[in-house]
Amino acid sequence: MIIVMKKGAGQAELAAVEAKIIELGYAPHIIYGETRNVIGAVGEEHGKEKLQILQSMPGVENVVPILKPYKLASLEVQPTPSAVEIVPGLVIGGKEFVVVGGPCSVESREQICETAVAVKEAGARLLRGGAYKPRTSPYSFQGMEEEGLKLLAEAREITGLPIVTEVVNPRDVELVARYADVMQVGARNTQNFALLKLLGQLDKPILLKRGMATTIQEFLMSAEYVLSEGNRRVILCERGIRTFETATRNTLDISAVPVLKQQTHLPVMIDPSHATGHASLIAPMSYAAAAAGADGLLVEVHPCPEKAASDGPQSLRPADFHAMMKKLREFVKVAERTMAD
Ligand code: PEP
Ligand code: MN
């Protein structure tokens, strides 16, 4: 249920409603608005009618059901876009179109530091790199693990770029959180609910990728798992879905951007590397992402893609990334967004 408070209702009235929601067995999530505040009361669907009693409390304007199965992720609860703060001065979901660049996997100090400097130079605002890799084959490179996290931290030290890195296993959440600025949930873990619940208890932004066979509604329900645990800083990332087409690694569902924007206040990014599987398709899909209204990109960049331990064919060389970023600025401008120099 959504409890809409009256304009001018005070803190004491808000607190009383909040306490009553808890007493009724629901979890209150307050959304502070410009003119009025609303409280999302989430919990068991069965029996939620009893929340109607809140209607008679001082300061309450209205009590309305949330129609969507995802509650906190919905525009019903929060009609204004969420601007997710990564570090002071850097927000995803605001006016700025934010690009994350870096290799699929962290491979060595030279590789990650060289890439970090290059992507920063081109205008990327965050560095990506996997230290734990969810590989299709158990015989493929699985990542440098904590050693990789330490190298990412070194690259952050050198460039000042915050780092995005994937956590694959609930067992590693605490360790990865010690190094990461943004915790990535990969496509293979979109519906790993135990992992999502743990991430919901962190005070850290979560970059949640869409699973390769996950509907938009299921994707939003996964976001809801994180939100319902109290972590409001969720960023969605469309990275292509499985279709019959084999010319590309996946099929980029570009319409997911405006569709998601019609359903949720959460920021939406596009990963053109995993979506296509081909470096030559990254630039056009990046421009399409900006045009479609995405909040940013996650792009794989490697100093020497032919030698990459993973995903070389879908990684841009630094010079090509630089060229793509230059042209991207024009599309971003048309989309009435800004981009870092
Ligand atoms: C990645 O970002 O390197 C990755 C494994 O992506 P996805 O989970 O989208 O396949
Ligand atoms: Mn990859």
Side-chain angles (χ1 to χ4, degrees):
M1 291 284 194
I2 301 167
I3 296 87
V4 183
M5 301 299 289
K6 287 185 177 145
K7 273 186 199 164
Q11 205 52 49
E13 288 160 329
L14 197 67
V17 175
E18 199 182 3
K20 187 72 185 170
I21 292 170
I22 295 169
E23 188 193 313
L24 292 169
Y26 287 77
H29 296 261
I30 304 179
I31 288 116
Y32 294 95
E34 297 253 309
T35 53
R36 65 176 85 227
N37 300 320
V38 302
I39 310 180
V42 295
E44 190 54 59
E45 280 292 291
H46 181 74
K48 66 174 192 284
E49 299 71 29
K50 64 182 173 215
L51 289 162
Q52 288 293 353
I53 196 174
L54 300 167
Q55 184 77 62
S56 59
M57 290 186 73
V60 173
E61 168 117 355
N62 213 352
V63 177
V64 285
I66 308 171
L67 300 175
K68 296 281 196 271
Y70 41 89
K71 311 290 178 190
L72 299 171
S74 77
L75 286 173
E76 293 174 75
V77 167
Q78 187 184 316
T80 52
S82 279
V84 173
E85 182 176 77
I86 308 300
V87 290
L90 177 58
V91 157
I92 298 181
K95 182 94 176 147
E96 183 180 346
F97 186 84
V98 176
V99 179
V100 183
C104 180
S105 307
V106 181
E107 297 163 11
S108 68
R109 175 175 291 113
E110 297 67 40
Q111 176 247 16
I112 193 65
C113 292
E114 186 185 331
T115 315
V117 169
V119 298
K120 182 178 180 173
E121 176 85 15
R125 296 280 269 149
L126 295 98
L127 173 69
R128 63 148 289 151
Y132 294 85
K133 296 307 301 177
R135 304 305 298 281
T136 301
S137 164
Y139 307 118
S140 301
F141 175 60
Q142 302 285 308
M144 290 180 77
E145 304 185 344
E146 190 171 4
E147 192 48 37
L149 296 174
K150 287 184 178 157
L151 294 177
L152 281 166
E154 272 189 48
R156 171 175 54 201
E157 198 63 38
I158 293 167
T159 58
L161 294 180
I163 55 186
V164 182
T165 196
E166 180 166 352
V167 59
V168 174
N169 195 318
R171 188 181 64 201
D172 301 322
V173 165
E174 218 181 291
L175 175 67
V176 176
R178 263 186 258 144
Y179 295 90
D181 296 289
V182 179
M183 309 279 280
Q184 178 175 321
V185 178
R188 290 154 194 82
N189 268 320
T190 309
Q191 291 188 306
N192 182 339
F193 303 123
L195 179 64
L196 297 175
K197 280 189 192 177
L198 274 179
L199 294 172
Q201 289 155 22
L202 288 185
D203 182 18
K204 217 164 258 272
I206 310 300
L207 181 84
L208 177 64
K209 287 190 149 194
R210 181 179 181 183
M212 49 196 96
T214 308
T215 64
I216 300 269
Q217 179 159 316
E218 287 163 344
F219 189 22
L220 288 169
M221 293 308 285
S222 292
E224 190 76 14
Y225 264 92
V226 180
L227 298 167
S228 65
E229 291 290 326
N231 187 348
R232 304 278 186 89
R233 287 193 284 169
V234 178
I235 301 150
L236 304 172
C237 182
E238 156 65 34
R239 46 75 75 205
I241 51 175
R242 276 270 164 87
T243 68
F244 57 82
E245 184 53 70
T246 54
T248 47
R249 182 177 178 184
N250 293 288
T251 297
L252 177 59
D253 181 7
I254 196 76
S255 65
V257 178
V259 170
L260 282 165
K261 293 278 177 190
Q262 286 170 12
Q263 319 271 338
T264 183
H265 51 85
L266 299 173
V268 183
M269 298 183 88
I270 288 283
D271 172 349
S273 292
H274 292 87
T276 64
H278 297 282
S280 65
L281 301 176
I282 293 176
M285 292 303 97
S286 298
Y287 308 149
D295 295 292
L297 297 174
L298 187 71
V299 182
E300 288 187 333
V301 182
H302 195 286
C304 188
E306 51 284 2
K307 292 207 182 119
S310 59
D311 288 349
Q314 61 185 43
S315 302
L316 286 177
R317 286 170 208 287
D320 295 331
F321 179 66
H322 205 287
M324 184 276 279
M325 291 286 277
K326 192 155 177 266
K327 191 155 176 197
L328 179 62
R329 283 194 174 79
E330 295 172 35
F331 287 92
V332 165
K333 202 165 157 201
V334 174
E336 296 178 346
R337 309 285 288 254
T338 61
M339 226 174 109
D341 291 330

